[in-house]
Amino acid sequence: MSVRGHRWRGVVLALGFAFLYTPIAWIVLFSFGGDAGESGHPGLSLHWYRALLENEDLKDAARRSLLLALLSSPLATVIGASAGIALARLERFPGRSALIALLAIPIFAPEVLLGFAFLMLFATLEALTGWPQGKGLLTLVIAHATLGASIVASVVYARVADLDRSLEAAARDLGARPLRVLATVTLPLAAPGILSGWLLALTLSFDDVVTSSFLAGPENTTLPMAVFSSVRVGLNPEINAIGTLMVSTIALVVGITFAALRFGARSRSGAGAGAAPARRGS
Amino acid sequence: MRRRLSLVDRLTIALPLGWLGLFLALPLVAVVALSFQGIADSIPPIRPLIDSLHGHLAVHATTRAFRIIGSDALYTRAFANGLLNAAMTTLGCMLVGFPLSYAMARAPASRRSLYLFLAILPFWTSFLLRTYAWMGLVRDSGPLNSLLMGLGILDAPLPILYSPAAVLLVMVYSYLPFFVLPMYAVLEKLPQDLLAAAADLGARPLHAFRTVTLPLALPGLVSGAVLVFVPAVGEYVIPELVGNNDTLMIGGILWEEFFQNRDWPVAAAIALVTFLILMLPAAALRRWSGASGAGRA
């Protein structure tokens, strides 16, 4: 490509990433300001972090969100990984197209619609059977696990579909029973996909505001719900402090995971197992 | 290659199918049923569809909810607003996302995974917080207005926050990754030798782009557009936070019917109509991609 092509590319990339990262940079910068009001000179301080530490309601909501994410994401992972493995490994089975359609719903349907639909199910079930008794952690976990399963399934499917099928066939030919093939061949090879699917389900659950608003009820405010009701009123530097903490935690976790996955892929292909997909060309 | 389904296979099928059938298909059935129900002064605030009060079954289906949303301009305007806003958002994502994906895909192979990582990372940070960040950036005394006034471009701050323009800006920002990922995936696999062949045969870059790159990139463009458009139609949080009364959309009216008016059947009817509107492009995409996939294989 010509030099002109290079320059064009550089400009587009710089503008594009500036657009993507300016808001995140603003959150971080603004969180270290002092209590000088909107116009005053923002000195560097940890004022808003201290205010955050003293806000019991927010800390409560944060704890609840963490618990919710930790309960719902493993459930989402089990359901989603099963679906992803089944769809990638079995060309034909009864209910295959129904499963694909169901998994597509959370990706396409608007959140307001899903949150409302979940609540209508729980209200109808409660009217008919007496279960579940009201809204709360249980209804939140079920809804978040359902939405997360769809994301996990698509990530795991992509990973498993890329894998070499002959490894499982070889294990079967050598007499391994289906459960053993799954546990010792398929699952370890699918592990990077399962791990990133779980992480996605975790952050999705921790971040969800709309679905949770329908299902939480008054005593189960989650962190995003608390942030949402505070932001509705206007700007609040405490939110920037929360934002900075969340952004740095997630960047750290995602960074470590990606580094670990790349390292894992490299060492495995180095060992000559030939199992890691060479497509990414790392 | 086909083998009999083992017990393990059956379990990996039955678990997701059962769970999603119960907690995803059944809610939609509940919404359909609810949209034909009447309201009542009770908890829940609906009249049962079927009751057997005097020894015989009575069905109380009504089209009341659909008549309400069909007759009141508030609802039709919200639907039109939601669809228009989603269409503009999709267009905006294409205008910003296509050059970005193209530049990423044309970068040296060693840099591509870094760029991809950088494009995905914002997607992992809280969507609510990124919307909140834009509120700070575009408010009257915020950095954007200060910059424009400092440069002498503006005399008075531009009231962007709480306007349809702010809604569009934040929508494009938030939905951009959904467009860039499928677009990039397609552009990255674009065979370079085709472009080289076109150049060798005398095609100018623009001509080659139009006759080679664009047709081959079309699947990515279409799936990116659908991935943006469909969820954008029902977006609630962004218009609520950075919009005004003119930006009341489908998500907003559903929310209000449920939380403020407590009219569950009308909320269900809105949900059902939205779902039907959205299933059309999704079904069209499936047909289209199914057909082109079969053509390729």
Side-chain angles (χ1 to χ4, degrees):
Chain A
M1 274 260 179
S2 64
V3 178
R4 253 178 65 213
H6 281 286
R7 203 171 296 153
W8 170 88
R9 212 167 56 210
V11 171
V12 170
L13 286 171
L15 285 176
F17 287 128
F19 180 55
L20 285 175
Y21 283 93
T22 303
I24 295 169
W26 178 83
I27 289 185
V28 176
L29 282 177
F30 200 59
S31 72
F32 291 108
D35 187 10
E38 284 201 358
S39 51
H41 181 69
L44 206 61
S45 98
L46 293 176
H47 175 85
W48 297 112
Y49 291 88
R50 272 196 295 275
L52 195 61
L53 273 179
E54 284 156 17
N55 191 332
E56 287 302 323
D57 285 349
L58 273 181
K59 278 199 295 193
D60 227 34
R63 253 179 252 124
R64 189 171 298 117
S65 278
L66 196 63
L67 177 67
L68 173 59
L70 288 175
L71 287 175
S72 67
S73 60
L75 205 53
T77 306
V78 173
I79 301 161
S82 304
I85 290 173
L87 287 172
R89 276 294 175 256
L90 310 165
E91 288 98 354
R92 230 180 265 184
F93 57 82
R96 189 186 153 96
S97 47
L99 186 58
I100 293 174
L102 284 171
L103 288 168
I105 291 176
I107 293 173
F108 284 108
E111 278 183 287
V112 176
L113 212 151
L114 290 170
F116 175 71
F118 280 129
L119 183 64
M120 290 306 106
L121 173 76
F122 292 130
T124 312
L125 280 180
E126 196 179 349
L128 294 177
T129 67
W131 179 92
Q133 289 173 339
K135 301 186 274 189
L137 191 63
L138 179 68
T139 52
L140 281 170
V141 169
I142 292 174
H144 283 200
T146 309
L147 298 182
S150 168
I151 302 291
V152 176
S154 61
V155 177
V156 171
Y157 173 84
R159 171 80 191 178
V160 176
D162 262 4
L163 294 177
D164 188 353
R165 291 184 155 219
S166 53
L167 291 167
E168 284 151 311
R172 272 195 300 275
D173 290 348
L174 292 169
R177 295 188 158 272
L179 189 62
R180 203 177 154 86
V181 176
L182 182 74
T184 60
V185 182
T186 315
L187 283 180
L189 290 175
I194 295 174
L195 184 66
S196 44
W198 168 68
L199 273 175
L200 262 177
L202 188 83
T203 51
L204 252 125
S205 165
F206 195 73
D207 196 24
D208 174 79
V209 58
V210 173
T211 313
S212 303
S213 298
F214 281 95
L215 297 169
E219 288 108 49
N220 283 291
T221 306
T222 64
L223 185 62
M225 286 167 68
V227 170
F228 184 55
S229 58
S230 147
V231 168
R232 258 177 162 168
V233 186
L235 295 184
N236 174 0
E238 254 179 75
I239 303 296
N240 289 62
I242 301 179
T244 305
L245 292 177
M246 282 172 65
V247 167
S248 31
T249 312
I250 288 168
L252 201 70
V253 171
V254 173
I256 291 173
T257 312
F258 273 73
L261 289 184
R262 286 191 72 171
F263 179 76
R266 209 171 289 163
S267 64
R268 225 186 347 243
S269 56
R279 278 169 133 203
R280 292 258 168 255
S282 56
Chain B
M1 273 304 263
R2 270 182 64 202
R3 56 197 166 84
R4 261 185 57 242
L5 294 181
S6 67
L7 183 66
V8 175
D9 292 335
R10 282 169 209 278
L11 277 175
T12 60
I13 297 166
L15 174 71
L17 207 53
W19 180 281
L20 297 175
L22 179 58
F23 293 119
L24 212 46
L26 220 51
L28 299 178
V29 176
V31 167
V32 174
L34 191 75
S35 65
F36 291 100
Q37 277 170 260
I39 48 170
D41 202 7
S42 61
I43 298 175
I46 40 172
R47 192 172 182 197
L49 206 51
I50 300 166
D51 63 22
S52 54
L53 209 58
H54 304 293
H56 58 270
L57 291 176
V59 179
H60 304 290
T62 164
T63 55
R64 169 189 162 274
F66 294 97
R67 284 200 309 271
I68 289 178
I69 60 171
S71 60
D72 193 333
L74 174 82
Y75 300 101
T76 33
R77 215 176 48 231
F79 271 95
N81 264 347
L83 290 169
L84 184 69
N85 181 55
M88 304 260 288
T89 301
T90 310
L91 196 66
C93 283
M94 284 178 176
L95 290 177
V96 179
F98 189 85
L100 182 61
S101 322
Y102 192 75
M104 283 165 60
R106 284 287 154 276
S110 55
R111 305 284 284 282
R112 270 182 234 156
S113 55
L114 172 71
Y115 291 150
L116 188 63
F117 180 70
L118 283 176
I120 298 174
L121 194 60
F123 178 69
W124 288 78
T125 60
S126 168
F127 147 82
L128 187 61
L129 286 167
R130 283 180 286 137
T131 305
Y132 167 74
W134 279 107
M135 295 173 70
L137 284 172
V138 302
R139 78 195 145 129
D140 288 3
S141 61
L144 184 67
N145 271 312
S146 306
L147 181 73
L148 291 177
M149 277 158 65
L151 291 174
I153 298 170
L154 289 178
D155 292 330
L158 200 62
I160 309 172
L161 187 57
Y162 308 123
S163 76
V167 175
L168 185 60
L169 173 72
V170 181
M171 292 282 293
V172 170
Y173 177 80
S174 301
Y175 284 83
L176 194 59
F178 296 104
F179 182 82
V180 167
L181 292 186
M183 193 71 250
Y184 169 81
V186 168
L187 287 175
E188 197 216 359
K189 291 201 188 89
L190 215 68
Q192 282 293 304
D193 15 345
L194 281 181
L195 284 175
D200 286 350
L201 292 169
R204 289 173 179 282
L206 201 64
H207 186 68
F209 180 81
R210 222 185 43 198
T211 53
V212 180
T213 309
L214 219 49
L216 288 173
L218 203 60
L221 198 76
V222 172
S223 51
V226 173
L227 274 174
V228 171
F229 181 82
V230 176
V233 166
E235 176 62 41
Y236 166 71
V237 172
I238 294 171
E240 174 69 19
L241 287 182
V242 304
N244 56 19
N245 287 337
D246 293 336
T247 61
L248 186 63
M249 295 174 196
I250 300 171
I253 50 167
L254 201 162
W255 187 279
E256 273 182 20
E257 286 302 338
F258 179 77
F259 284 102
Q260 264 96 52
N261 297 351
R262 289 182 54 78
D263 194 331
W264 292 16
V266 168
I270 294 170
L272 183 60
V273 171
T274 312
F275 192 75
L276 291 177
I277 292 176
L278 293 181
M279 279 306 105
L280 296 179
L285 174 79
R286 258 196 87 183
R287 259 194 108 138
W288 184 85
S289 65
S292 71
R296 239 179 283 125

